[in-house]
Amino acid sequence: MTLPPSDGVAPGDHADAAADSPRHGAGTGLGADLGTGLGTGAATAAEVEMRGIVKHFPGVRANDGIDLTVAPGEIHALMGENGAGKSTLMSILYGMQRPDSGTILIGGREVSFSSPTQAIAAGLGMVHQGFKLFPSLSVTDNVMYGREPRRRGLIDRAAARRRVAELSERFGLGVAPDAPVEALPVGVRQRVEILKLLYRDARVLILDEPTAVLTPAETDALFEVLRGLAAHGRTVLIVTHKLREVMALSDNVTVLRDGRVAARLSTAATTPAEIAEAMTGREIELDRRYPAGTIGNPVLEVDGLTVRGEGRPLVDQVSCTVRAGEVVGIAGVAGNGQTELVEALVGLRTADSGRVTVDGRDITGAPVAARRAAGLAYVPEDRAEVGSAPDASVADNLAMGFHRAEPLTVRGLLRPAALREHARRLIGEFGVKAGDTADPVRTLSGGNHQKVILGREMAHDARLLVVEQPTRGVDIGSIQNIHARLIGYRDAGHAILLVSAELSEIIGLSDRILVMSEGRVVAELGRGEADEKRLGLAMAGAAEGAA
């Protein structure tokens, strides 16, 4: 395959020839025949076609004869539970994996990629969950990296900057070419990743869980960008678990289950419940609101907690109480002190003033081990770096915190058989899909990795569970299971402090909701008062001072 020239000057925008052609709007769909063309009904070659894709891994048939067809200018959603084969299929499309059998066509031309470089040369681009940016460099430096335009043997930064500015304006990205990436909000950093693809003339953009780290406002802004890209004839493939977003954005949906296509649906002609049932093989109750808990005595008491930052405090005189048999949710736009508050509570950050007690025991200055001994368990937002040892086995990760006590340890020595039995029990209780208890945790899907951490922490039977983003990157069926387990933990008399970016999750699980803005608690809402509109206003500061 011929690779693109390395002079960094992006070729002409092939897809813009389609910019003036009518695009089917979200919901008009292509029905069961996803490759028949655009909304005009004219026959059009599919932009992406995958036929009979098969991929085996040891003991697993990850893709089992999958067909996928995506039309030019379409926004197509790929959905499925963890382990359904989505990531494998996209890895094959983007050249990171080779299929065992099957055919790929791009723009009607058969291709065979052995690397992402070849996929990029064919007009594909991918935005991964973990952004691949250099924080200390400018937007332009990040975008042109590896494709720097040259003039008289030197990098022509002015030409690159003009190109970045032009693309940003044309596609409504609103990104300043000279801005340092480290100063940008996460939603804008994602647009920088999209700019990188457009700079390389990607006609097909693959986005893996694109809203996983975005606020609601950033999600809305991203959707406007993606609609604009599709209107210019670019094709968008999104891999996601979020039904509302699929219904709001996509034209068509392909649902995978157990490595096979379970359904091909036109978004306009389906419902969230139908998609969920196709994903799981059973009826799923969406957006469930759980009944109130039976409230007991205070477990967590926080009084005037402050964490200083540069300029304003990161956490500013926060006071709150979480009682036994209660879930208290914390809502807020990312970056408003929720993370720093939790870090100060669990011992990962030092508080500058204030007091924290668990069951009346002052743990304000206590080390992490002492906090856990006092009855605090913690499920962190970052499951890889903070919540687990990715290269350690599933059994070892599930034993953490239990490893100094019988039956896992006798006379100071770990008992391998007891470790395995402990792991098997928790794997069964929490429905973790793992090949073997000796497998490294990093080999698990994101949802199963999350179940390992949640199962380990809940097995401690701690009086207080602090949990951040419990279902981020988790499929619909697993979300329902995790929610039920959290409510069961609450109903057993434990206290739960829940931080989540998913407002439906906060509303469905919480007995009370605190809203944070600029490091302060600006509103408190009871379970009967909270809805997404009111929470959204409070998150924006409109409800400051509400009780």
Side-chain angles (χ1 to χ4, degrees), residues 345-348 361 363 365-377 401 403-404 460:
L345 294 178
V346 303
L348 298 179
R361 179 175 172 180
I363 62 167
V368 170
R371 293 172 195 246
R372 292 182 74 84
L376 187 154
H403 60 282
R404 293 186 179 90
H460 282 282

Side-chain angles (χ1 to χ4, degrees), residues 6 14 31 45 54 149-150 196 253 329 354 359 381-382 415 480 522:
S6 60
H14 308 304
V54 174
R150 294 187 178 273
K196 285 168 58 178
V253 184
D359 269 344
E381 175 180 0
D382 190 337
R415 301 176 60 218
Q480 190 178 48
V522 298

Side-chain angles (χ1 to χ4, degrees), residues 306-317 336-337 518-520:
T306 297
V307 176
R308 296 195 188 101
E310 295 182 8
R312 65 175 178 81
L314 300 171
V315 180
D316 190 359
Q317 292 288 317
N336 276 271
E518 296 186 350
R520 291 175 288 131

Side-chain angles (χ1 to χ4, degrees), residues 496-516:
I496 299 177
L497 183 67
L498 167 69
V499 179
S500 177
E502 299 292 337
L503 295 186
S504 60
E505 182 166 70
I506 288 280
I507 293 167
L509 294 175
S510 301
D511 296 287
R512 286 185 295 122
I513 300 172
L514 307 178
V515 180
M516 289 190 69

Side-chain angles (χ1 to χ4, degrees), residues 391-396 420 423 427 434-441 443:
D391 290 326
S393 69
V394 172
D396 287 346
R420 290 192 295 270
I427 284 169
D436 190 274
T437 60
D439 291 345
V441 157
T443 64

Side-chain angles (χ1 to χ4, degrees), residues 110-188:
E110 186 172 340
V111 296
S112 178
F113 301 141
S114 58
S115 71
T117 301
Q118 293 180 335
I120 291 167
L124 278 67
M126 189 168 184
V127 178
H128 301 270
Q129 286 189 58
F131 302 155
K132 300 181 184 300
L133 299 171
F134 299 104
S136 61
L137 300 183
S138 71
V139 169
T140 296
D141 288 338
N142 272 275
V143 169
M144 72 175 180
Y145 180 76
R147 291 288 301 275
E148 296 88 348
R150 294 187 178 273
R151 184 180 181 187
R152 296 174 184 171
L154 301 175
I155 294 175
D156 190 344
R157 294 183 180 276
R161 187 189 183 283
R162 285 194 300 271
R163 179 65 175 160
V164 170
E166 174 199 344
L167 289 168
S168 177
E169 181 178 359
R170 184 193 311 173
F171 293 103
L173 294 170
V175 180
D178 299 322
V181 165
E182 62 190 355
L184 300 177
V186 66
V188 180

Side-chain angles (χ1 to χ4, degrees), residues 4-238:
S6 60
D7 60 6
V9 179
D13 292 310
H14 308 304
D16 288 344
D20 297 327
S21 64
R23 174 181 175 266
H24 53 289
T28 57
L30 301 178
D33 184 3
L34 300 182
T36 56
L38 300 179
T40 59
T44 304
E47 187 69 72
V48 174
E49 190 171 2
M50 305 181 79
R51 300 174 181 169
I53 300 297
V54 174
K55 180 67 178 179
H56 292 88
F57 296 104
V60 178
R61 195 176 179 95
N63 289 163
D64 190 1
I66 292 177
D67 295 334
L68 175 69
T69 306
V70 187
E74 178 187 350
I75 300 177
H76 194 106
L78 182 66
M79 302 196 74
E81 293 192 278
N82 295 116
K86 308 182 302 298
S87 295
T88 300
L89 189 67
M90 290 300 97
S91 293
I92 290 170
L93 177 60
Y94 198 53
M96 294 185 290
Q97 299 273 356
R98 296 294 297 268
D100 297 329
S101 60
T103 304
I104 301 173
L105 295 92
I106 303 297
R109 182 172 63 90
E110 186 172 340
V111 296
S112 178
F113 301 141
S114 58
S115 71
T117 301
Q118 293 180 335
I120 291 167
L124 278 67
M126 189 168 184
V127 178
H128 301 270
Q129 286 189 58
F131 302 155
K132 300 181 184 300
L133 299 171
F134 299 104
S136 61
L137 300 183
S138 71
V139 169
T140 296
D141 288 338
N142 272 275
V143 169
M144 72 175 180
Y145 180 76
R147 291 288 301 275
E148 296 88 348
R150 294 187 178 273
R151 184 180 181 187
R152 296 174 184 171
L154 301 175
I155 294 175
D156 190 344
R157 294 183 180 276
R161 187 189 183 283
R162 285 194 300 271
R163 179 65 175 160
V164 170
E166 174 199 344
L167 289 168
S168 177
E169 181 178 359
R170 184 193 311 173
F171 293 103
L173 294 170
V175 180
D178 299 322
V181 165
E182 62 190 355
L184 300 177
V186 66
V188 180
R189 293 188 190 196
Q190 188 173 60
R191 293 185 216 169
V192 176
E193 289 281 18
I194 293 172
L195 264 174
K196 285 168 58 178
L197 306 186
L198 297 174
Y199 184 85
R200 287 155 178 78
D201 198 32
R203 302 188 308 278
V204 179
L205 286 77
I206 306 164
L207 290 88
D208 185 14
E209 298 289 349
T211 65
V213 295
L214 302 187
T215 66
E218 287 172 332
T219 295
D220 290 342
L222 172 65
F223 285 4
E224 286 303 308
V225 168
L226 296 181
R227 292 185 186 107
L229 290 169
H232 280 80
R234 308 289 166 129
T235 299
V236 179
L237 246 170
I238 59 169

